[in-house]
Amino acid sequence: MRTTCIFLSLSLLITLNGFAQATTQPVDGNVDLSEVTSQIIDRTNAFRAEQKLPAVQTDNKLSATAADFAKFMADTGKYGHDADGRQPHERAEAHRYEYCMVLENIAYQHNSQGTSQEELITFFVEGWKNSPGHRKNMLDPDITQTGVAVARGVNGYYYAVQMFGRPKLAMIRFEITNNADVAFDYKVGDEKYTIAPRQIRSHGICKALKIEMHLPGEKEPQAIAPADGDRFSFRKVRDGRYEFHRAK
């Protein structure tokens, strides 16, 4: 009996979102950018907690990635997710962040008469919360890490970068074996697959997706959410029916 092993590469999710606004109302006060960064992280986690989501942990490599990009935009005045000619995941890779997922929010703020620390924090956090794309990144249930930086340019503009990630080590890996005498089709998320008899296929996914299949002779499809390390089997049972189950 010949067994074929197939590894499916990780699914990469890169979400890009940014907004910009120049404010005009004068506000006085000194700005501690390290405190601004800390508060953005804390308030993001408070927002996630309100939505029953776990907190994201600060990662040094994502923080360094965010800091370099914020400084680049502040130094050059260039703005956008590809302002430096790279995409977010490429900047993360340059800092040796081995990712399963990379998400990025950016924004800038300017007040010609100065800004307070609280105004800056509120502008970035509330602006992202109230923008659908940014909000989606902040509330992504599959991210586990973050890195945030804010830099001030010589022109008085503040540039913020909020990165989210899920490391490659947190990939959900599982295996499906076809122990039946017929091929069967199934989906993992939106991706469709066919597995031949006596074949084994290994998957690695970065988001909490479901395996869905329509077993021969069954009216309703079956769906199972895999956990890391799961092994599944498709087989024919005694009465001629087929079953798909999690192996013990």
Side-chain angles (χ1 to χ4, degrees):
M1 177 175 67
R2 182 178 179 182
T3 300
T4 303
C5 295
I6 304 173
F7 179 75
L8 302 181
S9 62
L10 63 91
S11 56
L12 166 66
L13 175 63
I14 307 167
T15 303
L16 313 178
N17 286 289
F19 70 89
Q21 179 176 325
T23 62
T24 56
Q25 296 301 315
V27 181
D28 296 324
N30 296 321
V31 174
D32 179 347
L33 292 183
S34 63
E35 182 62 21
V36 171
T37 297
S38 178
Q39 284 295 314
I40 289 174
I41 295 170
D42 288 348
R43 295 187 193 188
T44 296
N45 276 329
F47 181 41
R48 289 177 63 85
E50 291 172 2
Q51 306 300 318
K52 312 300 182 184
L53 293 170
V56 287
Q57 304 301 315
T58 302
D59 176 80
N60 291 336
K61 293 176 181 178
L62 285 180
S63 296
T65 304
D68 278 0
F69 191 43
K71 183 177 185 302
F72 172 85
M73 290 191 289
D75 289 346
T76 65
K78 295 181 179 179
Y79 178 77
H81 293 284
D82 58 353
D84 63 351
R86 297 181 296 177
Q87 295 297 320
H89 70 283
E90 295 174 310
R91 291 189 287 272
E93 284 177 335
H95 285 273
R96 298 183 179 180
Y97 183 73
E98 296 185 4
Y99 62 88
C100 204
M101 294 173 59
V102 170
L103 314 178
E104 182 182 84
N105 287 341
I106 61 175
Y108 73 77
Q109 189 259 23
H110 177 251
N111 186 327
S112 61
Q113 299 184 42
T115 187
S116 73
Q117 187 166 293
E118 179 59 31
E119 180 191 54
L120 202 59
I121 296 166
T122 300
F123 173 79
F124 289 133
V125 174
E126 295 303 315
W128 283 328
K129 285 171 61 175
N130 293 319
S131 171
H134 302 89
R135 183 186 182 93
K136 182 178 180 181
N137 285 354
M138 296 172 83
L139 298 180
D140 191 296
D142 297 299
I143 56 153
T144 60
Q145 298 177 327
T146 190
V148 176
V150 180
R152 185 179 187 275
V154 293
N155 56 4
Y157 282 68
Y158 289 91
Y159 294 86
V161 178
Q162 181 181 52
M163 300 201 72
F164 297 109
R166 182 185 183 96
K168 190 174 181 180
L169 288 174
M171 180 184 289
I172 301 168
R173 301 176 187 273
F174 60 94
E175 182 179 280
I176 296 176
T177 301
N178 185 353
N179 288 313
D181 53 359
V182 297
F184 80 99
D185 300 327
Y186 66 97
K187 295 197 305 181
V188 179
D190 293 328
E191 296 293 325
K192 297 179 180 180
Y193 304 96
T194 298
I195 184 168
R198 311 306 173 188
Q199 191 176 63
I200 299 173
R201 178 170 287 147
S202 299
H203 289 266
I205 58 176
C206 297
K207 295 184 71 67
L209 304 174
K210 288 187 176 181
I211 307 168
E212 184 177 313
M213 77 296 300
H214 208 137
L215 298 177
E218 297 292 332
K219 293 182 179 180
E220 299 296 329
Q222 182 177 350
I224 298 178
D228 188 49
D230 273 350
R231 293 184 299 163
F232 297 92
S233 175
F234 174 71
R235 66 180 183 178
K236 189 174 184 178
V237 291
R238 291 181 180 178
D239 60 1
R241 295 183 301 106
Y242 293 89
E243 70 173 10
F244 182 82
H245 69 102
R246 183 182 279 111
K248 296 181 180 180

